[in-house]
Every structure is written in structure tokens, then in C-alpha cells.
Amino acid sequence: MEVLAESGMRGLTHRAVDRAAGLPPGTTSAYCRTRQALLTALVARLVARDQAELEEGGRRLPVLRDADELAGALAGFVRRRLTGEGRRRTLARYACTVESVHHPELREILLPRENAARDAVRAFLAAHGVTDPETRTLTLLACVDGLVFDRLVNGGDVAEEELRGLVTTALR
């Protein structure tokens, strides 16, 4: 993931992965014979790590009572995606998403999945009377993802007020 975050899709080579992982030359190619196999393995690993983070985060969340609490939870999520390891993983995931345009087999791996964090958002919207909480959840989370992408590309943070505005809109 560091290879992609630092040098983009062109930097994803067996040799670069071996170097980044501190492995002897040829180790990665023994497991992933082709570049496509390497890319597929990377995407699957990214998704697995994201899913684990979302499951854990969602399970730790208390029942969200109001828009401020949901906006606060989303703000924490966004901070993790914009800094440190989360930033590197997010940059790598976006590079893989763009690559999936040319490699449709990656799209299935990258599709949003059910997880405890998504369940918490959907439960919050349903508890507040939203008529189609599944669709609104997907829309709200896509908007949050768009803000993350924008800040990765253009710099800056996502203000909690922005997130509160998205939550308020989702509740209408």
C-alpha cells in the first residue's frame, strides 16, 4: 500500500513490493505471478483492512442519538482517513478504484460492503424516520467519501459543520 501511496499505480511492481516489505527479491512474484495477480491481491487486502476497521469502529459506537453525534463519529472516521496509515490506505484505494476502470474484475472487490459502521448510520437514519434509510445511507457515505477525496487532492480538513450539514440533509 505504501508503494501505491508514494509512487502511484506505475510504482506497483513485484520488486517494489519486495523492497517495501523488506523481503528478498523474488518473494512477491512467487505468490503473485503476474502484475494483475499482484494488483488483485493488493485490492483484496485494502478492502479487508478497511472492512476490519469499519467493523471494529461500528461495534464500538454507542447508539447515535442526534445529528451532532453522527457528525462527530463521521469526523473521527474522516480524520483517520486523512492522516497517517489511513491516508496511505485511502490514497492506495483511490488509485485502485481508478485502475478498476481498466480492470473491471477489481470493481467487484471494491464494491461497498455491509459492516457495523454502515449499519450504525442506517439504524440512525431509520430511527429518525427516513423513508429509505438504505439509499440515504449509501448517498451520505458517498458524500463523505467525496469530501475525503477532495481533501486528499486539495488539502485541508473536513470541518465537522460540513458533516453535520450532510447528516441534516440526509434526514430530510
Side-chain angles (χ1 to χ4, degrees):
M1 286 173 260
E2 280 184 37
V3 171
L4 279 183
E6 292 175 13
S7 58
M9 198 53 70
R10 288 186 178 180
L12 181 65
T13 65
H14 292 86
R15 198 172 287 154
V17 172
D18 286 343
R19 260 193 317 274
L23 298 170
T27 302
T28 301
S29 63
Y31 290 94
C32 301
R33 299 296 303 157
T34 65
R35 186 171 190 283
Q36 186 58 38
L38 182 62
L39 182 58
T40 300
L42 171 71
V43 171
R45 179 70 176 138
L46 277 169
V47 169
R49 290 185 70 186
D50 283 348
Q51 281 296 105
E53 177 186 51
L54 293 167
E55 278 296 327
E56 180 184 337
R59 281 194 303 268
R60 284 186 293 143
L61 270 179
V63 173
L64 300 167
R65 296 170 298 184
D66 59 34
D68 288 339
E69 287 184 1
L70 178 53
L74 290 171
F77 168 78
V78 167
R79 270 191 301 281
R80 287 187 299 278
R81 292 292 166 106
L82 291 176
T83 59
E85 170 62 22
R87 177 183 174 81
R88 285 187 292 279
R89 243 185 22 243
T90 301
L91 287 167
R93 185 179 343 86
Y94 288 143
C96 291
T97 300
V98 170
E99 190 69 13
S100 76
V101 171
H102 306 291
H103 299 281
E105 64 278 6
L106 298 177
R107 285 187 211 143
E108 180 63 32
I109 302 169
L110 288 162
L111 285 174
R113 305 235 182 303
E114 289 295 321
N115 56 64
R118 185 167 146 182
D119 292 345
V121 173
R122 185 176 37 245
F124 172 84
L125 294 176
H128 286 81
V130 171
T131 56
D132 186 0
E134 177 61 26
T135 299
R136 291 280 178 96
T137 297
L138 294 176
T139 301
L140 172 60
L141 296 178
C143 290
V144 171
D145 194 46
L147 287 171
V148 169
F149 180 83
D150 178 73
R151 293 333 190 269
L152 283 172
V153 171
N154 297 312
D157 295 321
V158 176
E160 198 165 320
E161 295 79 38
E162 287 179 276
L163 296 166
R164 193 173 300 106
L166 289 176
V167 171
T168 302
T169 301
L171 290 170
R172 292 186 191 145

